[in-house]
Amino acid sequence: MGHKSLVGIVGGGAWGTALGCLMAKKGQSVLLWARNEAVIADINQHQRNRLYLPDIPLDRALRATSRLEDLTRAEVLLLVCPAQYLRATASALSPFISAGVPLVICAKGIERESGALMSTVLAELLPHNPVAVLSGPNFAAEVARGLPAAATLATADESLGHRLVSIIGGPAFRPYYSPDIIGAQIGGAVKNVLAIACGMVAGLQLGENARAALITRGLAEMSRFGMALGARQETMTGLSGMGDLILTCMSGQSRNMSLGMALGEGRKMADILKERRSVAEGAASADVVQMLAAKAGVDMPIVDAVVDILHDRAQAANVVQNLLNRPFRHEGI
């Protein structure tokens, strides 16, 4: 692809902008597609995205557009739109994408309507384009500032994987290649549900020991779930699994953690949502994770507990007490 290849980014939020910033600093030409005309004007006229990444200057090599057809020249496309909008976005993009152009999934989630992973959605709509997944413990603002970070870059084709690593990676952002495209998607889909549970532990003031125990047992649930869907164990304990889980469950920056804290303090889900512009991803993902786990015969008691609380079927304090009262068992289970 070379130094002057055009990288297309679909999605003008914080993560899409941060990735664009990362590659523009390396000398790549980057074209970012966004719906919001104010965001596009801010990027093109002021080298800023003040709506999603305030106070972070952007490189002039990063340009923005509202026209999907402008992405026709892109030699690689990073899909950073929210997971539940990927199907509609990929469908709209399909007339403008040449066969063979790699598609890098940068959104985290499982399609609620179908229970499909993002890679399955793309295989259905764009079967002639190789698919990769970029996922890891990454806060967008830190990546945009050039602070050190790492992620998993998964794709079935190892030569493509290494080529994408060279395009996306830089001195402070380290993608690690993996062939496990399924496993790389599981962590990002499940960790937000587990972060709600961690937030409840914080809201109930149960202490850091309890939070560490919940993260560890949550990782066991995530690993069982991932392996039932075809993931590799090492992926679940890697950057896109354990790494992302730790970041989301240990930081107050997480919307999922803050939602769980409010629930742990005894507030009702409906009252919390009235104060929020967007729903935390874990609240949107919990039902579909539970459904897929039941279908695969995987025991996920923490996910089950979160679902009960989100649907006002139980109080956070009672659910956490029930989790603590589960029978003692072998740690490997």
Side-chain angles (χ1 to χ4, degrees):
M1 292 184 187
H3 180 72
K4 293 295 182 182
S5 63
L6 177 66
V7 177
I9 295 179
V10 179
W15 187 223
T17 306
L19 288 169
C21 186
L22 190 73
M23 286 177 286
K25 284 177 182 174
K26 292 175 55 187
Q28 303 280 10
S29 295
V30 183
L31 185 62
L32 181 148
W33 175 86
R35 293 182 184 276
N36 190 317
E37 293 290 349
V39 165
I40 294 165
D42 206 18
I43 291 172
N44 289 338
Q45 296 171 23
H46 306 290
Q47 286 74 56
R48 289 285 195 282
N49 185 343
R50 282 169 284 202
L51 183 61
Y52 292 106
L53 281 179
D55 305 321
I56 294 179
L58 307 177
D59 195 283
R60 289 185 179 275
L62 172 60
R63 308 298 294 163
T65 182
S66 61
R67 292 159 40 94
L68 286 171
E69 54 265 40
D70 291 342
L71 297 173
T72 303
R73 295 184 300 109
E75 295 178 55
V76 59
L77 277 175
L78 275 57
L79 304 179
V80 203
C81 53
Q84 302 309 322
Y85 296 97
L86 182 69
R87 181 178 293 274
T89 304
S91 181
L93 266 172
S94 60
F96 310 114
I97 302 177
S98 300
V101 172
L103 308 175
V104 184
I105 299 166
C106 303
K108 297 173 181 177
I110 297 170
E111 191 172 57
R112 285 196 300 268
E113 294 298 317
S114 66
L117 295 177
M118 300 294 97
S119 58
T120 304
V121 174
L122 290 184
E124 179 186 329
L125 293 172
L126 296 161
H128 304 297
N129 296 85
V131 172
V133 175
L134 181 70
S135 188
N138 306 135
F139 283 139
E142 293 187 8
V143 171
R145 290 190 185 101
L147 296 176
T152 299
L153 188 290
T155 186
D157 181 341
E158 185 169 359
S159 63
L160 173 62
H162 291 304
R163 191 167 54 157
L164 291 172
V165 164
S166 70
I167 291 170
I168 299 169
F173 187 73
R174 311 297 298 174
Y176 286 81
Y177 170 72
S178 167
D180 185 5
I181 196 167
I182 293 174
Q185 295 174 85
I186 297 298
V190 178
K191 54 97 178 183
N192 288 322
V193 184
L194 299 173
I196 293 174
C198 269
M200 292 191 304
V201 165
L204 289 163
Q205 299 185 345
L206 297 180
E208 295 303 319
N209 293 344
R211 184 181 359 205
L214 192 142
I215 291 171
T216 309
R217 295 310 299 164
L219 177 62
E221 288 191 22
M222 181 193 292
S223 298
R224 288 196 297 269
F225 180 69
M227 292 174 73
L229 269 61
R232 298 185 179 190
Q233 177 66 43
E234 60 265 31
T235 311
M236 307 320 299
T237 56
L239 289 160
S240 61
M242 181 170 67
D244 205 1
L245 178 65
I246 290 170
L247 181 70
T248 310
C249 290
M250 295 298 289
S251 173
Q253 292 183 53
S254 165
R255 285 178 294 180
N256 298 283
M257 267 283 291
S258 64
L259 172 64
M261 288 177 72
L263 290 167
E265 289 162 0
R267 301 188 61 203
K268 294 284 189 184
M269 185 68 176
D271 295 331
I272 300 166
L273 293 181
K274 286 176 190 173
E275 302 169 359
R276 293 177 171 232
R277 283 194 308 167
S278 57
V279 179
E281 297 91 336
S285 303
D287 286 343
V288 69
V289 170
Q290 184 187 53
M291 179 270 290
L292 290 174
K295 191 175 176 182
V298 177
D299 186 31
M300 299 188 80
I302 299 172
V303 171
D304 292 339
V306 170
V307 171
D308 282 345
I309 291 165
L310 291 178
H311 289 288
D312 285 328
R313 292 197 289 259
Q315 293 292 316
N318 294 337
V319 165
V320 171
Q321 192 61 45
N322 289 341
L323 284 172
L324 294 173
N325 287 338
R326 280 169 59 83
F328 295 116
R329 60 196 299 181
H330 192 287
E331 186 178 20
I333 299 174

